[in-house]
Amino acid sequence: RAGNAPVHGAPPVPVVNNAICLQCAVVNGQRGWNSNEYEQCRVSGDPHIQKSWRSEKKFDHQGTGIYRYATMGVCAGGSFEVQMFQCQYKSGRNSVVTGVVVRLNNGARVFVNKRSIEMAGSSQVEPSDSIHRDSQGVNIYSDDKCAFLNVNVKTMSKNPGHMHNVKIKVYNEDLTAEGICGSPELRN
């Protein structure tokens, strides 16, 4: 196959040669994931959202359903998105995150539900088979080092039986208008 020509019947593979994306690996190699060149968001509990690009203050989002928590422009494979599934906690108004789906690296997907990890496509996931230690969870990296997630799990005796806490870090030069944990639908 010549260049980036599609294989018969397959969609073309997007190629991202953006200088911003190439810079992620340099920054990450020099200063690591804790560099201030990465925006961070934390989602925990019933969900409390900390460090949204929209607000430095913590806010709560207790809706049920599927919500988009992060997107990026062209880096992390050009298709980066994080969605979380929130279910009702006990029988009250609060909810908890029970599933996380990440799309990155030109369409690869990683799904985390309780301790189970399922993947489609090529992704850097550690550990790749299941969550072995609940508090450490699973780490998911984009190939270009522009996006990172940690998803851990906490079991509970009340319905739905488990919840996920999530940390998202994305290269701040490639944030979209929605940013991370800043989508208007998350404010209630």
Side-chain angles (χ1 to χ4, degrees):
R1 130 179 142 107
N4 198 34
V7 175
H8 179 68
V13 177
V15 174
V16 177
N17 289 324
N18 190 303
I20 293 171
C21 306
L22 298 174
Q23 186 63 25
C24 294
V26 173
V27 168
N28 191 280
Q30 292 173 351
R31 293 182 280 289
W33 290 107
N34 292 322
S35 164
N36 62 3
E37 280 113 329
Y38 290 93
E39 287 290 330
Q40 175 176 276
C41 167
R42 292 185 190 137
V43 179
S44 62
D46 59 350
H48 309 293
I49 300 168
Q50 298 173 325
K51 296 268 311 175
S52 164
W53 68 270
R54 188 181 282 275
S55 170
E56 287 292 317
K57 296 179 182 177
K58 179 169 76 170
F59 63 94
D60 298 334
H61 173 66
Q62 278 120 14
T64 57
I66 300 171
Y67 295 94
R68 180 177 23 218
Y69 273 81
T71 61
M72 289 177 74
V74 297
C75 298
S79 61
F80 181 78
E81 181 177 28
V82 177
Q83 294 181 353
M84 296 186 207
F85 185 74
Q86 296 178 196
C87 290
Q88 182 181 23
Y89 176 58
K90 297 189 215 177
S91 59
R93 294 182 341 156
N94 294 353
S95 64
V96 292
V97 174
T98 58
V100 179
V101 176
V102 182
R103 184 178 64 196
L104 69 168
N105 300 338
N106 297 316
R109 287 178 171 72
V110 179
F111 176 65
V112 181
N113 179 20
K114 200 168 183 180
R115 291 182 188 90
S116 173
I117 301 167
E118 296 181 32
M119 296 183 291
S122 175
S123 300
Q124 294 180 356
V125 179
E126 298 170 356
S128 62
D129 55 347
S130 67
I131 294 176
H132 303 284
R133 298 185 68 191
D134 290 358
S135 62
Q136 289 181 341
V138 59
N139 293 323
I140 304 166
Y141 308 89
S142 67
D143 289 342
D144 62 8
K145 303 293 186 228
C146 290
F148 164 79
L149 276 85
N150 173 267
V151 181
N152 69 29
V153 64
K154 179 178 179 182
T155 56
M156 307 175 293
S157 61
K158 304 290 184 188
N159 193 33
H162 77 281
M163 69 177 197
H164 290 291
N165 298 310
V166 183
K167 182 190 304 182
I168 305 169
K169 292 189 175 199
V170 298
Y171 193 57
N172 60 21
E173 294 294 323
D174 193 42
L175 285 176
T176 62
E178 286 187 0
I180 57 173
C181 301
S183 174
E185 69 182 11
L186 298 180
R187 273 285 213 221
N188 62 355

